[in-house]
């Protein structure tokens, strides 16, 4: 198998980072490399988008940063401190610095608790001050995300999808986190509601000095919210770049393909991504994972796995042809 050498270290000042992390899962179909030597750093105050098709390993990367799973190899860092092997007990005070918002707001809320009860839940779990202060905090957060006080006592099923997602965001903010991990947080919403939630996220980021890791398969949404974008393909980061530069000059052929599958970027209509039979997670094999679909592939791409390397302008790319 082609050797992939270690590349660069994520900067020490990164708020959260994965350093050369591999996550294998053993399934009935064999070994799946959900994340394959992933190096990803989220800088404080930044809004980083993580995009890629279904099965590329985006949610696994989020679960690794939360340290909900222990990686097969590599290191997980929180503010430069390695937390890779820490116990759940030791991690608990760290996890409160990370809020999480999932794709399906109804599924992520407790159906039998009221709206305010849902926001109170993490405050109670982490014994945040006293009951009166907790209630005031939960009510303040609901106001902050645009839920009128009259809705505090209703149950999640009485809200619209957009309102449910606002409650889920309020709950994720309850413990005053530094980092918000958003996994397809607007993907299940109507386009007009998506825009409202993105506006809300932009305001919250500014007001509360938050850092976002925003996972989405939708590059158009990422473009609205994120300053930097990382592109994943079959468990590997293939490109990291400032958003404007990524859209103006995509370096990796896969990024280019993704951008041209967005309707507004394609004068001749949508060109759907060609199917890849391997889209269900990578299986270990030599060569570039994108080689079977790549219009620029040459012999080297079949034999050697390209390493993510820094370019002069601060972007990163893993491609022999760039
Ligand atoms: N707990 C698990 N056990 C076995 N395989 C898993 C597990 N979690 C993820 N995988 C596999 O790892 C690969 C990456 O999954 P992941 O959920 O991270 O992808 P994703 O990019 O978030 O996809 P989607 O856009 O569909 O949410 C997939 O092939 C998936 O089936
Ligand atoms: Mg996912």
């Amino acid at each position: 198998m082609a050797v992939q050498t270690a590349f660069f270290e994520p900067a020490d000042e990164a708020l959260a980072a994965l350093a050369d992390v591999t996550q294998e899962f053993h399934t009935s179909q064999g070994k799946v490399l959900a994340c394959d030597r992933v190096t990803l750093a989220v800088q404080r105050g930044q809004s980083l988008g993580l995009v890629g098709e279904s099965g590329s390993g985006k949610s696994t990367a989020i679960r690794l940063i939360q340290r909900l799973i222990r990686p097969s190899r590599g290191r997980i860092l929180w503010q430069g401190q390695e937390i890779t092997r820490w116990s759940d007990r030791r991690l608990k005070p760290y996890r409160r610095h990370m809020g999480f918002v999932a794709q399906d707001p109804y599924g992520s809320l407790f159906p039998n608790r009221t709206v305010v009860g849902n926001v109170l839940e993490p405050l109670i779990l982490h014994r945040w001050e006293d009951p009166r202060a907790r209630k005031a905090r939960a009510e303040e957060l609901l106001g902050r995300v645009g839920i009128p006080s009259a809705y505090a006592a209703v149950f999640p099923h009485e809200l619209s999808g957009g309102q449910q997602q606002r409650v889920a965001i309020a709950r994720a903010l309850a413990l005053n986190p530094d980092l918000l991990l958003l996994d397809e947080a607007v993907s299940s919403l109507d386009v007009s509601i998506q825009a409202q939630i993105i506006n809300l996220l932009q305001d919250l980021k500014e007001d509360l000095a938050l850092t976002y890791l925003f996972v989405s398969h939708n590059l158009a949404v990422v473009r609205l919210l994120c300053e930097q974008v990382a592109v994943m393909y079959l468990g590997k980061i293939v490109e990291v770049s400032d958003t404007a530069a990524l859209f103006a000059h995509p370096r990796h052929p896969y990024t280019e393909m993704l951008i041209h599958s967005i309707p507004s970027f394609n004068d001749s209509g949508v060109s759907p991504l060609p199917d890849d039979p391997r889209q269900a997670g990578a299986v270990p094999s030599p060569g570039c994972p994108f080689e079977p679909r790549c219009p620029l592939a040459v012999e080297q791409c079949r034999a050697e796995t390209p390493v993510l390397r820094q370019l002069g302008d601060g972007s990163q790319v893993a491609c022999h042809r760039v």
Side-chain angles (χ1 to χ4, degrees):
M1 186 185 289
V3 179
Q4 194 186 29
T5 50
F7 18 98
F8 50 89
E9 275 289 300
D12 266 355
E13 67 272 17
L15 184 59
L18 300 178
D20 208 10
V21 166
T22 295
Q23 180 64 49
E24 295 172 358
F25 291 113
H26 296 272
T27 69
S28 52
Q29 266 82 48
K31 193 158 85 173
V32 171
L33 278 174
C35 285
D36 186 5
R37 306 202 65 170
V38 165
T39 293
L40 185 71
V42 194
Q43 308 300 336
R44 189 181 281 279
Q46 182 190 38
S47 171
L48 174 65
L50 182 59
V51 299
E53 285 163 89
S54 186
S56 54
K58 307 180 297 295
S59 298
T60 303
I62 283 201
R63 283 159 63 213
L64 284 163
I65 286 178
Q66 290 172 295
R67 240 311 315 277
L68 291 175
I69 42 179
R70 225 178 254 204
S72 317
R73 57 168 285 185
R75 290 171 304 128
I76 302 175
L77 304 160
W78 176 258
Q79 299 195 60
Q81 182 163 33
E82 186 175 344
I83 60 169
T84 323
R85 307 264 149 220
W86 284 19
S87 65
D88 278 342
R89 193 195 167 117
R90 200 168 168 206
L91 282 164
K92 192 174 171 191
Y94 279 81
R95 288 206 177 113
R96 60 180 285 178
H97 297 290
M98 306 177 202
F100 176 73
V101 183
Q103 171 167 1
D104 168 20
Y106 187 66
S108 71
L109 296 173
F110 291 107
N112 53 358
R113 291 197 198 158
T114 61
V115 161
V116 75
N118 267 281
V119 183
L120 279 169
E121 184 260 342
L123 296 168
I124 294 169
L125 193 71
H126 284 264
R127 301 202 174 91
W128 201 85
E129 295 187 19
D130 58 82
R132 188 187 294 234
R134 290 201 278 265
K135 187 153 177 289
R137 168 99 184 130
E139 286 168 354
E140 176 208 324
L141 283 160
L142 286 170
R144 188 65 199 76
V145 299
I147 296 289
S149 52
Y151 285 86
V154 309
F155 289 90
H157 74 267
E158 298 173 71
L159 303 179
S160 70
Q163 288 170 327
Q164 288 167 357
Q165 199 57 305
R166 287 175 191 268
V167 176
I169 291 169
R171 187 180 61 182
L173 293 174
L175 296 164
N176 215 0
D178 299 296
L179 175 64
L180 213 51
L181 301 157
L182 302 127
D183 194 351
E184 303 279 6
V186 301
S187 305
S188 67
L189 307 173
D190 286 352
V191 174
S192 63
I193 309 294
Q194 281 189 357
Q196 290 174 15
I197 300 292
I198 287 168
N199 284 340
L200 172 68
L201 290 171
Q202 273 163 339
D203 291 347
L204 291 170
K205 181 172 178 294
E206 199 113 313
D207 295 352
L208 305 176
L210 289 166
T211 302
Y212 289 161
L213 178 58
F214 185 84
V215 161
S216 179
H217 63 274
N218 186 340
L219 258 181
V221 169
V222 165
R223 191 186 196 199
L224 290 173
L225 188 70
C226 300
E227 294 133 17
Q228 211 186 31
V229 183
V231 181
M232 270 191 104
Y233 188 78
L234 286 177
K236 284 193 167 61
I237 304 281
V238 297
E239 182 163 359
V240 183
S241 184
D242 288 346
T243 307
L246 187 99
F247 279 85
H249 307 288
R251 315 279 185 124
H252 199 283
Y254 176 61
T255 312
E256 193 161 347
M257 208 182 256
L258 269 185
I259 289 175
H260 284 281
S261 69
I262 303 174
S264 58
F265 272 82
N266 185 350
D267 298 336
S268 55
V270 190
S271 47
L273 290 171
D275 284 343
D276 180 350
R278 299 192 306 176
Q279 264 310 302
V283 285
S285 62
C288 172
F290 190 59
E291 180 272 325
R293 292 165 98 186
C294 184
L296 306 178
V298 293
E299 193 46 45
Q300 186 189 15
C301 309
R302 278 179 275 282
E304 277 175 46
T305 307
V307 171
L308 191 68
R309 59 196 160 87
Q310 301 262 26
L311 302 181
D313 62 358
S315 58
Q316 300 158 15
V317 70
C319 176
H320 295 307
R321 302 304 311 279
V322 173

